[in-house]
């Protein structure tokens, strides 16, 4: 399915959260649900800050999840940072 976000929408392919740190320490589910998530921008609407291919951190709430996929559509304002 091809999707083109409108206005300031951003389509993000979400990185699967394993519930562990990079060093292998398990994080309780209540703790990692509150922290920002990571993903890669796949499509953008009329945004100024991000482009396709950028790795970003975004907030957990306020997004639309696409059914049967690891993709979400969020507003550009919900993106916290680009990962360089």
């Amino acid at each position: 399915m091809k999707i083109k976000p409108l206005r300031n929408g951003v389509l993000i392919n979400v990185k699967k959260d394993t519930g562990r740190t990079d060093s292998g320490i398990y994080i309780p589910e209540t703790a990692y649900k509150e922290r920002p998530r990571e993903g890669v921008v796949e499509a953008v609407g009329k945004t100024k800050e991000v482009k396709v291919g950028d790795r970003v951190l975004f907030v957990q709430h306020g997004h639309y999840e696409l059914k049967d996929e690891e993709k979400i559509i969020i507003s550009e304002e919900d993106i916290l940072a680009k990962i360089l």
Side-chain angles (χ1 to χ4, degrees):
M1 164 180 6
K2 286 197 87 117
I3 295 177
K4 171 71 173 156
L6 301 176
R7 294 180 289 284
N8 67 345
V10 179
L11 177 67
I12 296 178
N13 187 356
V14 180
K15 179 181 175 185
K16 183 144 175 74
D17 197 349
T18 61
R20 290 193 209 188
T21 65
D22 291 337
S23 61
I25 299 172
Y26 286 98
I27 301 171
E29 187 175 328
T30 55
Y32 75 83
K33 282 191 174 184
E34 299 296 322
R35 67 183 182 163
R37 302 273 314 266
E38 182 180 331
V40 177
V41 175
E42 291 205 349
V44 295
K46 296 179 181 179
T47 65
K48 299 175 184 167
E49 299 283 333
V50 296
K51 62 184 186 302
V52 174
D54 285 347
R55 286 180 47 214
V56 295
L57 289 176
F58 58 92
V59 294
Q60 291 273 34
H61 62 282
H63 60 264
Y64 176 77
E65 294 183 23
L66 298 176
K67 193 173 186 174
D68 300 329
E69 296 186 38
E70 292 291 322
K71 297 180 183 179
I72 62 168
I73 298 175
I74 64 171
S75 174
E76 182 181 26
E77 289 82 29
D78 291 332
I79 296 175
L80 302 172
K82 285 195 235 182
I83 300 172
L84 304 175

